Amino acid sequence: MAKVTLDGVVKSYGNGMTAVHGIDLAVEDREFVVLVGPSGCGKSTTLRMIAGLEDITGGTIRIGDRVVNDLPARQRDISMVFQNYALYPHLTVFDNMAFGLSLGKTPKSEIETRVRAAADTLGIGALLERKPKALSGGQRQRVAMGRAIVRHPSAFLFDEPLSNLDAELRTQMRSEIKRVHQRVDTTTIYVTHDQVEAMTLADRVVVMRGGRIEQVAPPQELYAKP
Ligand code: ADP
Ligand code: ADP
């Protein structure tokens, strides 16, 4: 659990295109913040800079008290869930969830405990020996979330995690994500272009447009402003 702070964060691509124009944002410890806005407004770029998947051109990003501008992704102590589940097809659910941990120093017994606990939280405890191709879309999404949870990260990042799901499943997974957030109690930054998703999930909604923050407010205040 940690605060995530962006000060004057800028991203320009090599082609001269500036995708993010000096963003200031403080996400509180355990807060659920949703970045919303039209396609191309810089949401994903912002998230990828926080994750360390994209270099930052200017400004400062802090996770907790640490400036992480130059830290590689794996040293940032955060987990990201993507829209394409990025599960390994040849590995079981258990091994998919354990993969990141098994590359590190976590003892086997601890990995087992964490994977089973995360699987229980997500209701996939009975699926641990299956391969991804034997899972439904919703189950795969749960495995992807499980893989992030087992790392016990200080923050979760979600990049349009539900956009590949049909409407019914999207609604179901939305409540699932909310429930998991409450249970795991971790700072969460969530990117979507879907306003309903933003309104249902967020403690605060950050509306982006053209690489800038246009508005920041709790959902109930967002569209009430003149
Ligand atoms: P969003 O997630 O809100 O849809 P992005 O962060 O993906 O928006 O993109 C913001 C802007 O940056 C877009 O105009 C996009 O075309 C541009 N962009 C994204 N990635 C690159 C890249 N690798 N090189 C050049 N421009 C990029
Ligand atoms: P390592 O554990 O050695 O860092 P990984 O390939 O598991 O190697 O992860 C590299 C980085 O990619 C991680 O530190 C993390 O930032 C990100 N990452 C990997 N898997 C996940 C995941 N399931 N959810 C979120 N982020 C992940």
Side-chain angles (χ1 to χ4, degrees):
M1 291 144 287
K3 190 168 164 161
V4 177
T5 318
L6 281 64
D7 281 312
V9 169
V10 174
K11 176 65 186 187
S12 301
Y13 285 106
N15 60 3
M17 149 87 197
T18 297
V20 174
H21 297 265
I23 282 193
D24 300 315
L25 178 67
V27 180
E28 300 302 328
D29 188 11
R30 301 175 187 204
E31 192 179 22
F32 199 126
V33 161
V34 177
L35 307 186
V36 70
S39 178
C41 72
K43 306 181 296 293
S44 184
T45 299
T46 302
L47 199 72
R48 293 169 58 80
M49 286 192 284
I50 298 169
L53 302 174
E54 198 81 72
D55 288 339
I56 138 172
T57 312
T60 307
I61 299 178
R62 286 189 184 77
I63 298 174
D65 297 330
R66 285 195 305 173
V67 174
V68 299
N69 287 24
D70 299 321
L71 272 192
R74 70 181 47 138
Q75 288 173 28
R76 293 189 182 200
D77 189 26
I78 52 186
S79 274
M80 183 143 160
V81 179
F82 301 93
Q83 69 177 250
N84 55 356
Y85 317 108
L87 301 179
Y88 298 106
H90 59 290
L91 297 182
T92 62
V93 167
F94 183 98
D95 289 335
N96 263 288
M97 285 172 65
F99 188 77
L101 291 178
S102 61
L103 297 173
K105 293 196 176 71
T106 316
K108 262 209 158 75
S109 60
E110 170 69 14
I111 294 178
E112 169 118 15
T113 305
R114 287 198 200 183
V115 168
R116 293 199 182 278
D120 285 346
T121 299
L122 291 159
I124 52 172
L127 306 177
L128 289 173
E129 298 314 315
R130 291 209 193 162
K131 299 270 177 68
K133 68 173 184 308
L135 302 175
S136 70
Q139 291 168 338
R140 284 180 201 168
Q141 186 63 60
R142 286 183 169 80
V143 177
M145 283 168 60
R147 199 165 56 171
I149 290 173
V150 297
R151 305 170 77 98
H152 293 180
S154 52
F156 277 120
L157 308 180
F158 288 90
D159 192 359
E160 302 263 6
L162 306 185
S163 52
N164 285 340
L165 306 178
D166 64 40
E168 192 182 335
L169 202 48
R170 212 157 40 215
T171 310
Q172 195 183 323
M173 288 306 296
R174 224 194 281 143
S175 348
E176 183 78 13
I177 286 173
K178 189 82 184 169
R179 196 177 60 76
V180 168
H181 172 72
Q182 281 156 358
R183 183 126 169 223
V184 180
D185 215 15
T186 300
T187 308
T188 300
I189 307 176
Y190 187 106
V191 162
T192 182
H193 63 272
D194 181 339
Q195 290 197 1
V196 177
E197 238 170 85
M199 301 294 279
T200 353
L201 286 171
D203 295 324
R204 280 190 304 156
V205 179
V206 175
V207 182
M208 289 185 65
R209 188 175 296 274
R212 293 188 167 84
I213 292 180
E214 197 174 65
Q215 200 176 359
V216 183
Q220 62 275 18
E221 287 174 22
L222 194 60
Y223 298 104
K225 288 193 179 162

